[in-house]
Amino acid sequence: MSLRAWGLLLVLSGAVFLEGIDVAMLAVAVPTVRADLGLTTATAAWVMSAYVLGYAGFTLLGGRAADLLGRRRMFLGWLTVFLLFSGLGALADDGPTLVLARFATGVAAAFMTPAALSVITTSYPEGPQRDRALLVFAGVAGGGFSLGLVTGGLLTQFGWRWVFIAPVLFAAVLLAAAVRLVPKDDLVPKDERSPVPRRGGFDLAGALAAAGTMLLLAYGVIRLEHGLDGWALTLAVFAAGAALAAVFVRVERRAAVPLVRLGLLRTPSVLRADLGALLFVGAFFGFQFVATLYLQELRGWSSLHTALALLVMGVDAVLAPTVTPRLVARYGNAKVVLGGFLAALAAYVLFLPVGPDWSYAAMFPTLLLTGLAFSLAYGPLTIAGTDGVAEDEQGLAGGLLTTATQFGSAIGIAAVTAVYGLAGGGLTGFRAALAVPVAMAAAGALVAAAALRERAGAAAREEVPV
């Protein structure tokens, strides 16, 4: 790739790194924020949940907006919003202001991340060059979360507001570079794109129905963390989300220019990639949450000590852009994804007999395998989720994939929290909660194996002489 192409990739990867490090740093800083501002337990929980709600609620709409309204415009505009509301978080002196800032930052990420992904898939030619770009993008995303844990622990020592100030400074640098490097949408040759027809205007009803559906479903998933408490309200939220989803499908079928072409939602390769991403990310974040609780609550480790212990999981930031492309080129995308799921399954199973005084050496194989699994599965799943999709729907495909990962992380954390509580907490609760990432990794391995079998069958049919 040219120097300018690498520069563009660094800017776009920097945006997803910003999103990952922002979430991870705050996860470490929340106890300090709570103590300093005198927040209740419920408000402190909403400081984290508001971001997830905004992100998961608007990602599908954000992905399609990049296709319809311009990828460059969406990326630059919402990166600016991300910067502004991170600044508001740094200035917040009460819980409601901080929750509002986190919700708005999540909405900004919901529009910014799919736009960045669709800029990659439309700026780099399909094949090895695009695959390498996507693997770098995915590796940097994982690295942002891993490094964010350590960075958050360090910055919190100087004051929790630095956890918000640092993303502002980083976003400002990214924005200045992006203005110069992100191509205008009309630079794509006309014979290489399929313009979206503008007749009928913007599908406002579909946009409102999509956002409402995602918000309700995301809120329902967040409520799962409460276990059996308030189960009637949780079921009502899910029922309302399902009803609004039916309204959304009806609106899209009747719209002259639908927000979402429903046929893409029925594409087997896209569905498998999105389901695989949901299961993989859900297992990963569920395990990371359990491991953090184990080290801090049961073992009494500090947040910084815990972050340093988990840093080895960030090995994917090195392996994803260097080793994974070679594996994909040699063995194919489907085999590498399956290998990633099997590595994750082995990692979580190895942690099942966790004891009250395990040494770090006993934990190390699981942590290393977890990072290896991320480097093998996440990038190739990103490739699979956008491969073969028409250019005018790349934003939508990216939005679907990002929606799946956000719901996966929310489901994984909510499920392990609920199981931990139902099992009575303590070491017994940790061991019971570990069954969640094990089950999700096993289910993901089955999905990956099915995709591999279908691909092998298709290859065999192509070899049969006519």
Side-chain angles (χ1 to χ4, degrees), residues 184-196:
K184 296 180 180 178
D185 297 297
D186 59 6
L187 292 181
V188 180
K190 292 184 178 180
D191 58 351
E192 295 182 12
R193 56 179 170 152
S194 303
V196 179

Side-chain angles (χ1 to χ4, degrees), residues 209-210 213 217 238-253 262:
T213 299
L217 294 179
F238 275 122
L244 196 53
V247 172
F248 170 71
V249 172
R250 186 178 181 87
V251 168
E252 296 307 278
R253 284 177 174 172
L262 298 178

Side-chain angles (χ1 to χ4, degrees), residues 64 68 195-207 248-262 392-393:
R64 194 55 176 148
L68 297 175
V196 179
R198 298 290 178 173
R199 58 183 175 79
F202 187 74
D203 181 13
L204 180 60
F248 170 71
V249 172
R250 186 178 181 87
V251 168
E252 296 307 278
R253 284 177 174 172
R254 295 186 173 188
V257 184
L259 179 75
V260 176
R261 184 176 65 84
L262 298 178
D392 59 297
E393 292 184 324

Side-chain angles (χ1 to χ4, degrees), residues 54-137:
Y55 201 154
F58 288 89
T59 303
L60 182 60
L61 178 58
R64 194 55 176 148
D67 291 328
L68 297 175
L69 305 178
R71 300 177 181 99
R72 174 185 167 90
R73 181 183 296 119
M74 289 293 100
F75 181 74
L76 295 179
W78 288 100
L79 178 57
T80 303
V81 175
F82 193 102
L83 184 156
L84 293 175
F85 279 93
S86 290
L88 177 61
L91 299 173
D93 285 322
D94 57 76
T97 302
L98 194 55
V99 170
L100 171 64
R102 293 308 295 166
F103 178 78
T105 306
V107 174
F111 283 84
M112 177 182 73
T113 305
L117 182 58
S118 64
V119 170
I120 289 180
T121 55
T122 55
S123 298
Y124 300 87
E126 189 169 349
Q129 189 175 123
R130 182 188 294 180
D131 290 351
R132 176 172 288 276
L134 289 173
L135 291 171
V136 170
F137 185 80

Side-chain angles (χ1 to χ4, degrees), residues 25 28 145-155 304 307-311:
M25 288 194 301
V28 175
F145 187 83
S146 301
L147 293 176
L149 294 173
V150 179
T151 306
L154 291 172
L155 290 178
L304 182 57
L308 290 172
L310 299 179
L311 183 60

Side-chain angles (χ1 to χ4, degrees), residues 368-443:
L368 181 62
L369 272 175
T370 302
L372 175 64
F374 204 99
S375 67
L376 291 176
Y378 188 69
L381 283 169
T382 304
I383 295 172
T386 56
D387 195 27
V389 177
E391 182 177 317
D392 59 297
E393 292 184 324
Q394 282 292 332
L396 174 58
L400 288 170
L401 183 67
T402 309
T403 299
T405 59
Q406 284 302 304
F407 271 96
S409 63
I411 290 171
I413 293 174
V416 298
T417 302
V419 172
Y420 176 79
L422 291 173
L427 186 60
T428 302
F430 290 128
R431 288 173 174 166
L434 284 168
V436 173
V438 169
M440 295 184 81

